[in-house]
Amino acid sequence: MPRKKLEEILSDEQIQDVLKLAESNDKDSDLLKALKKYFLKHKEQLETKGVFHEYLAWAVYHAILTRRN
């Protein structure tokens, strides 16, 4: 899968929503669940950009954990 910047996939508003999710979910498992739920809401939009919603949730989750540690 080719690399894409998050800004190419999500709108500014969606990026802000993801940042809020990261800030409000201290427990790692809760964060992953919240990301999966959020990206599922935008499944069709993501698929038109060639991105699988659950894969994006895992990728963003990993990036957040990497920055936290």
Side-chain angles (χ1 to χ4, degrees):
M1 176 179 271
R3 286 184 164 213
K4 292 184 180 183
K5 292 183 179 184
L6 202 54
E7 296 84 15
E8 296 172 11
I9 300 169
L10 302 175
S11 69
D12 291 339
E13 182 180 340
Q14 290 171 322
I15 291 172
Q16 292 304 314
D17 290 344
V18 169
L19 291 173
K20 288 176 188 173
L21 287 174
E23 292 172 1
S24 64
N25 288 283
D26 294 334
K27 194 173 175 186
D28 293 346
S29 61
D30 291 342
L31 173 59
L32 181 57
K33 287 178 190 175
L35 289 169
K36 285 182 177 183
K37 185 176 179 180
Y38 181 78
F39 291 133
L40 181 59
K41 291 179 187 177
H42 301 283
K43 178 181 177 179
E44 290 181 25
Q45 174 210 349
L46 294 170
E47 286 179 352
T48 61
K49 295 183 179 185
V51 178
F52 182 58
H53 68 281
E54 194 162 340
Y55 177 83
L56 183 59
W58 277 99
V60 170
Y61 172 74
H62 175 72
I64 291 169
L65 289 184
T66 301
R67 290 182 185 222
R68 282 184 181 175
N69 296 328

